[in-house]
Amino acid sequence: MLKNFLQQSSAKYITMKQIYYFLHQHGSSTKANLVEQLKMKQTTVSRHLEQLLSEKIIKFRTFGASSGGRPPAVFEVNPDAGYIIGIDLSRTKTTLTLANCKFSDIDHYSFKMNDKHTPAYTISLLAKQIKYLLDKHDISNDMVLGIGIGTVGPIDRIEGMILEPDAFIAEGWHHIPLVSELRKKVNIDTIQIENGANLAALMSGQNCQDTILYCISGRGLRCGVVSNGSMIHNRTGDASSFGEMIIDVQNGTSLATLISYDYLLKEVNRRYQEYHGRAFLDTDKKKDTMDQLLVALEQGDTIVQAAVSDSAFMYGIGIANMVNVLHPDKVVLNSELTIHYQPYYQKIIETAKQHIKRFEREPVTFTMEEQRDQVISLGACALVFQGYFS
């Protein structure tokens, strides 16, 4: 059983886990390559491979190209040797993903957060859906490596708590012992919590050595950083702190304020009042208004387009400041606006490049997140898996 194997800590299992981790990170390998890369004796590698095969933790993938004689066997991890549950718990939507140990989505469940989603109700709903998915796929609890939770900060990783987040629709989301409360209901001991932006960065940086800056914008701004496959996070787990960067010194206005959806809607309304003597739409109906704003962009509304472009310029300045400090190899943007309105994304990147120092000498790659619905929940799965090797 994979979980039992990963929990072992003797010298024998440490070297065996090195082989398993190498196969997991690199996809597959021959025995000769394992010997060379891990600097182990061939007899040791052979013995460990035999045990891993017998316990169905790894499997044969195929045979490699032969240089004469019998072709070498190629080994890979057995993706169904264990399963992980990842949760993306955000202010507006929560996603629960059941993944195999290769982080492939087996099944998932999502629900929108509204005023009835108090902590107690949400935790009970998550526990119910975890049981449903495990029963549906005939997976016992001892086959589950653990549960990872990605959420908004600030958090207490050690105590497994959500501390004082902003903007949850329902009341009561302050100082919630999320890990212990969920553990009581699901009978799974290994549960870890991390800021969602960090987990998105972790998932985006799987199996690479790059430094990645991952930015999630919408109601606010959350940023995560991964370097050499490891998260770089602050003590409080508050990924929103990047958004507290002051952009407008005269008014003390932060980056998050100038790029948030609420700001955009208010700014569009202000400009409509100035040019047309009326509001764009009622900002109390935020979701409907945001949908209408996207429609207006697609239809070429010049007032809306100008407001969005100005906000994108500020976002680009903020990104440039982050790049100048962090020197990432790659910047990933995740937002509803970047997906639905390409000029917004282009304006951010164009502005950022103009204000990044040493760009010619240290080029940065910019990209847009395309699998935004499950990147955090799958990153939460990766967090649990990595926990067995730290």
Side-chain angles (χ1 to χ4, degrees):
M1 184 187 306
L2 179 59
K3 184 176 182 179
N4 181 64
F5 161 69
L6 293 177
Q7 289 174 332
Q8 302 304 313
S9 58
S10 67
K12 166 189 171 183
Y13 280 96
I14 288 174
T15 54
M16 201 183 305
K17 286 167 71 173
Q18 287 177 338
I19 291 174
Y20 177 82
Y21 190 72
F22 184 92
L23 292 175
H24 191 281
Q25 294 299 101
H26 294 83
S28 64
S29 178
T30 63
K31 179 168 62 178
N33 187 53
L34 288 167
V35 169
E36 178 184 354
Q37 296 296 323
L38 299 177
K39 309 303 180 187
M40 293 183 187
K41 294 180 180 179
Q42 183 171 332
T43 53
T44 301
V45 172
S46 297
R47 185 171 66 254
H48 289 339
L49 287 173
E50 287 176 7
Q51 182 168 342
L52 291 169
L53 284 168
S54 67
E55 296 182 13
K56 298 182 180 179
I57 293 173
I58 66 171
K59 63 180 184 177
F60 289 112
R61 177 178 181 180
T62 182
F63 286 96
S66 174
S67 58
R70 184 177 180 180
V74 178
F75 303 91
E76 66 178 0
V77 303
N78 177 4
D80 298 319
Y83 300 89
I84 313 173
I85 294 164
I87 297 171
D88 172 11
L89 175 59
S90 74
R91 301 175 179 96
T92 58
K93 182 181 178 181
T94 292
T95 298
L96 171 72
T97 298
L98 173 64
N100 64 24
C101 61
K102 289 282 286 181
F103 316 141
S104 295
D105 176 21
I106 302 298
D107 207 341
H108 60 272
Y109 173 78
S110 297
F111 55 91
K112 293 182 179 179
M113 301 285 282
N114 55 42
D115 57 4
K116 75 177 181 179
H117 287 90
T118 62
Y121 179 83
T122 303
I123 292 169
S124 294
L125 180 56
L126 287 171
K128 177 182 177 181
Q129 289 303 318
I130 287 170
K131 185 179 186 305
Y132 170 77
L133 289 179
L134 293 179
D135 289 345
K136 176 182 176 181
H137 294 278
D138 195 24
I139 298 171
S140 61
N141 278 23
D142 57 8
M143 290 288 289
V144 179
L145 302 184
I147 299 173
I149 304 171
T151 188
V152 296
I155 59 173
D156 185 326
R157 299 180 184 89
I158 296 175
E159 297 298 328
M161 295 182 67
I162 295 179
L163 297 178
E164 297 177 356
D166 294 326
F168 270 96
I169 300 173
E171 296 181 350
W173 284 98
H174 278 199
H175 297 275
I176 303 303
L178 184 59
V179 168
S180 61
E181 291 301 312
L182 184 59
R183 186 180 286 128
K184 292 176 186 177
K185 294 181 178 294
V186 298
N187 194 30
I188 295 174
D189 289 336
T190 302
I191 304 180
Q192 294 178 258
I193 189 170
E194 181 54 77
N195 196 288
N198 288 332
L199 296 181
L202 180 65
M203 195 63 200
S204 183
Q206 280 292 306
N207 303 327
C208 77
Q209 304 303 309
D210 291 343
T211 297
I212 296 172
L213 169 65
Y214 195 105
C215 303
I216 303 174
S217 59
R219 300 297 174 193
L221 175 65
R222 294 184 288 158
C223 300
V225 182
V226 165
S227 183
N228 293 322
S230 298
M231 290 179 291
I232 300 174
H233 46 56
N234 56 34
R235 182 172 55 83
T236 61
D238 187 2
S240 299
S241 58
F242 285 87
E244 294 167 3
M245 177 193 311
I246 300 301
I247 296 294
D248 183 347
V249 177
Q250 183 175 358
N251 297 307
T253 311
S254 69
L255 173 61
T257 299
L258 294 171
I259 69 170
S260 72
Y261 289 168
D262 288 345
Y263 166 80
L264 274 176
L265 297 173
K266 290 177 182 178
E267 180 63 13
V268 167
N269 264 350
R270 186 191 68 77
R271 296 186 186 198
Y272 256 74
Q273 287 284 5
E274 181 179 340
Y275 290 105
H276 298 302
R278 63 176 178 83
F280 175 70
L281 277 177
D282 183 2
T283 55
D284 290 334
K285 300 177 181 178
K286 293 179 181 177
K287 184 63 176 73
D288 292 341
T289 308
M290 194 60 204
D291 288 344
Q292 290 296 324
L293 189 146
L294 292 173
V295 170
L297 287 171
E298 293 175 359
Q299 293 178 344
D301 186 312
T302 56
I303 293 178
V304 177
Q305 287 178 339
V308 168
S309 180
D310 289 346
S311 180
F313 175 82
M314 295 299 182
Y315 197 178
I317 295 295
I319 293 292
N321 286 334
M322 295 182 213
V323 170
N324 288 334
V325 172
L326 298 169
H327 303 287
D329 302 291
K330 180 179 178 182
V331 176
V332 184
L333 301 183
N334 183 336
S335 108
E336 194 172 6
L337 264 177
T338 56
I339 291 174
H340 289 93
Y341 187 58
Q342 189 69 18
Y344 176 74
Y345 173 75
Q346 292 170 343
K347 182 68 173 182
I348 295 169
I349 305 310
E350 170 190 309
T351 305
K353 288 181 177 179
Q354 289 173 354
H355 294 85
I356 293 173
K357 305 298 182 183
R358 300 175 297 279
F359 186 79
E360 296 299 326
R361 190 168 73 247
E362 300 177 14
V364 180
T365 300
F366 291 89
T367 186
M368 184 193 311
E369 179 60 71
E370 297 180 355
Q371 299 178 338
R372 61 193 306 265
D373 286 342
Q374 287 177 267
V375 65
I376 293 177
S377 59
L378 288 174
C381 294
L383 174 73
V384 171
F385 182 82
Q386 286 196 357
Y388 285 98
F389 299 91
S390 60

